[in-house]
């Protein structure tokens, strides 16, 4: 009897060990159990992956030279890697549910590797700079300006600028040169959660021309703008007397000839009209922020990116690339309002706290430019 009990116990222990081994090893992908997402209707495909079928096929072809699949039979094919990544970016779900979906059947570590490979590929300069690019010559600048003129109100304005916060988990307190380069508290924004403060510049079609996702959440919008690669471009244009190009920004930015902000206390009808039109046109960048986050819900505040800041920045950049691809290919997107609350905390009102007319010639020239535009608009519209 004792020997029988011992045999039963050994059999039970062996079963437990085998079960644990199966849980820890890579999940076996059984083709018959995995649904082909390309068999979905177009509407459901876009709902799950945010991109159209043809666009996903184009991306798979684009990434073939950037992501080399392993030769072994158990290697994950590029189609699966791309679709898994898109599903993660679209839903903002955890990696385990993504892997357990009927489209993948992958373990969490495998999903993580898929996301890392695809995000890294989309951040490659040859791909990123092709899809997120600021105008590089006067012809391109003029074309974007004219698009704004046809669709909006300011004949010389061709872009809008704003910052938006992307929530991340609390970074590690261990600092090193490659990751976690900033102390944890630097990432806490004015609303009390950890984030990356992302600067976006878009055109009238909601296409993002420039993104800066390198700064912690506590960084002021003005500091990000002062360290932007776009600022020297606009300054050089004005030094060469090309003074008919500028951005529209909110009151958190410094008023300059190339960056027009609302008038703090408008008194004349022309000033009031300018503010109304400036704010209504500037909502384009707020719509752009909203569409980006609703299309790729991993960027929503309530989803939170569970990655180190550097990896989170790469994910944000990848979403911007995909967003621009969707814009270029007219992928439908139902925009939902009130995605993010906007406040005016820290607004400096034309930076009058920092400088006055006598000490800041750029502020003086900015006011002159804004007044000229206000008068032009007021008379042009016959108000």
């Amino acid at each position: 009897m004792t020997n029988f009990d011992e045999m039963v116990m050994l059999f039970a222990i062996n079963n437990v060990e085998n079960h644990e081994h199966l849980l820890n090893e890579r999940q076996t992908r059984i083709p018959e159990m995995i649904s082909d997402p390309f068999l979905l209707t177009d509407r459901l495909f876009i709902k799950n992956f945010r991109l159209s079928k043809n666009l996903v096929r184009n991306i798979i072809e684009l990434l073939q030279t950037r992501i080399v699949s392993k030769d072994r039979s158990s290697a994950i094919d590029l189609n699966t890697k791309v679709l898994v990544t898109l599903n993660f970016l679209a839903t903002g779900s955890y990696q385990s549910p993504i892997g357990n979906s009927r489209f993948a059947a992958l373990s969490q570590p495998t999903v993580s590797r898929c996301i890392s490979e695809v995000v890294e590929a989309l951040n490659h300069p040859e791909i990123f700079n092709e899809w997120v690019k600021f105008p590089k010559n006067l012809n391109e600048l003029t074309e974007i300006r004219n698009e704004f003129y046809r669709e909006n109100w300011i004949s010389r304005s061709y872009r809008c600028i704003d910052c938006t916060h992307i929530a991340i988990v609390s970074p590690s307190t261990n600092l090193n040169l490659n990751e976690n380069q900033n102390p944890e508290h630097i990432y806490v924004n004015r609303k009390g959660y950890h984030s990356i403060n992302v600067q976006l510049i878009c055109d009238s079609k909601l296409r993002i021309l420039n993104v800066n996702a390198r700064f912690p959440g506590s960084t002021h919008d003005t500091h990000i703008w002062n360290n932007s690669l776009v600022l020297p471009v606009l300054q050089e244009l004005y030094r060469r007397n090309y003074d008919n190009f500028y951005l529209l920004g909110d009151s958190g930015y410094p008023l300059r000839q190339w960056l027009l902000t609302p008038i703090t206390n408008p008194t004349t009808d022309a000033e009031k009209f300018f503010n109304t039109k400036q704010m209504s046109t500037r909502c384009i960048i707020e719509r752009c922020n909203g569409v980006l986050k609703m299309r790729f819900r991993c960027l929503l505040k309530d989803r939170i990116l569970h990655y180190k800041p550097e990896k989170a920045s790469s994910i944000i950049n990848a979403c911007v690339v995909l967003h621009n691809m969707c814009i270029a290919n007219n992928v439908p997107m139902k925009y939902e309002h009130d995605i993010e609350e906007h406040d005016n905390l820290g607004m400096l009102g034309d930076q009058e706290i920092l400088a006055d007319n006598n000490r800041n010639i750029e502020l003086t020239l900015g006011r002159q430019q804004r007044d000229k535009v206000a008068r032009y608009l007021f008379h042009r519209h016959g108000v």
Side-chain angles (χ1 to χ4, degrees), residues 312-330:
S313 296
S314 296
I315 290 175
I316 295 167
N317 287 342
C319 289
V320 169
V321 170
L322 296 170
H323 166 86
N324 282 352
M325 289 181 174
C326 290
I327 296 294
N329 289 272
N330 298 314

Side-chain angles (χ1 to χ4, degrees), residues 23-39:
L23 288 177
N24 291 327
E25 72 176 1
R26 182 196 300 263
Q27 287 182 272
T28 302
R29 303 181 74 241
I30 304 175
E32 305 84 48
M33 297 177 60
I34 301 173
S35 300
D36 182 0
F38 287 100
L39 297 179

Side-chain angles (χ1 to χ4, degrees), residues 55-88:
L55 183 52
V56 170
R57 292 189 182 99
N58 292 340
I59 291 176
I60 291 171
E61 182 178 353
L62 177 66
L63 300 185
Q64 282 181 344
T65 58
R66 298 291 165 202
I67 303 177
V68 181
S69 298
K70 304 295 190 298
D71 294 332
R72 63 179 184 270
S73 59
S74 60
I76 307 303
D77 61 278
L78 181 57
N79 289 32
T80 301
K81 292 179 180 180
V82 171
L83 290 168
V84 162
T85 302
L86 291 176
N87 193 220
F88 165 76

Side-chain angles (χ1 to χ4, degrees), residues 277-294:
K277 293 299 183 181
Q278 199 269 2
M279 294 176 185
S280 63
T281 303
R282 202 183 69 239
C283 73
I284 290 174
I285 187 63
E286 296 177 4
R287 284 190 61 234
C288 181
N289 287 337
V291 169
L292 175 66
K293 290 183 179 182
M294 289 307 300

Side-chain angles (χ1 to χ4, degrees), residues 356-371:
D356 57 32
N357 285 347
N358 297 324
R359 291 184 296 167
N360 194 331
I361 185 62
E362 287 186 342
L363 178 59
T364 301
L365 293 173
R367 284 178 175 155
Q368 292 174 355
Q369 174 84 315
R370 187 173 62 183
D371 290 343

Side-chain angles (χ1 to χ4, degrees), residues 84-263:
V84 162
T85 302
L86 291 176
N87 193 220
F88 165 76
L89 299 177
T91 62
S93 179
Y94 289 107
Q95 293 177 357
S96 292
I98 295 294
N100 292 332
S101 75
R102 61 192 176 98
F103 303 123
L106 298 173
S107 66
Q108 180 275 321
T110 303
V111 171
S112 180
R113 287 192 293 271
C114 291
I115 294 172
S116 295
E117 289 183 27
V118 174
V119 165
E120 182 180 354
L122 291 172
N123 275 266
H124 192 279
E126 289 187 6
I127 295 177
F128 183 84
N129 294 335
E130 175 65 24
W131 286 97
V132 186
K133 53 187 177 182
F134 199 78
K136 57 181 180 294
N137 55 54
L138 284 176
N139 288 336
E140 292 182 1
L141 289 170
T142 302
E143 175 58 27
I144 294 178
R145 182 193 63 186
N146 291 343
E147 287 177 1
F148 252 107
Y149 179 61
R150 288 191 295 266
E151 300 180 25
N152 299 282
W153 57 277
I154 298 185
S155 61
R156 302 179 187 181
S157 171
Y158 64 104
R159 292 164 304 222
C160 295
I161 183 173
D162 198 9
C163 285
T164 186
H165 287 270
I166 306 298
I168 61 173
V169 295
S170 175
S172 170
T173 56
N174 297 322
L175 301 180
N176 58 62
L177 295 178
N178 297 320
E179 294 178 330
N180 300 329
Q181 300 175 20
N182 299 296
E184 172 271 332
H185 68 272
I186 298 296
Y187 289 92
V188 180
N189 61 33
R190 60 176 178 258
K191 294 184 180 180
Y193 63 90
H194 295 84
S195 70
I196 293 176
N197 195 4
V198 183
Q199 177 183 278
L200 299 174
I201 299 176
C202 79
D203 64 10
S204 61
K205 296 179 179 179
L206 308 187
R207 181 178 55 197
I208 297 173
L209 307 175
N210 179 265
V211 56
N212 190 335
R214 298 182 292 109
F215 287 89
S218 65
T219 309
H220 196 279
D221 296 0
T222 301
H223 178 76
I224 300 176
W225 168 240
N226 288 337
N227 288 275
S228 169
L229 297 177
V230 175
L231 176 57
V233 174
L234 294 178
Q235 290 174 326
E236 181 62 24
L237 283 173
Y238 274 78
R239 277 194 289 268
R240 298 187 180 188
N241 294 320
Y242 293 104
D243 59 353
N244 56 349
F245 301 100
Y246 47 73
L247 299 175
L248 297 179
D250 61 29
S251 298
Y253 290 97
L255 172 64
R256 296 292 184 264
Q257 290 174 280
W258 49 81
L259 178 53
L260 300 187
T261 60
I263 299 172

Side-chain angles (χ1 to χ4, degrees), residues 325-342:
M325 289 181 174
C326 290
I327 296 294
N329 289 272
N330 298 314
V331 178
M333 173 65 198
K334 182 180 179 181
Y335 176 64
E336 297 183 27
H337 299 276
D338 301 326
I339 293 168
E340 181 180 22
E341 294 181 0
H342 296 274

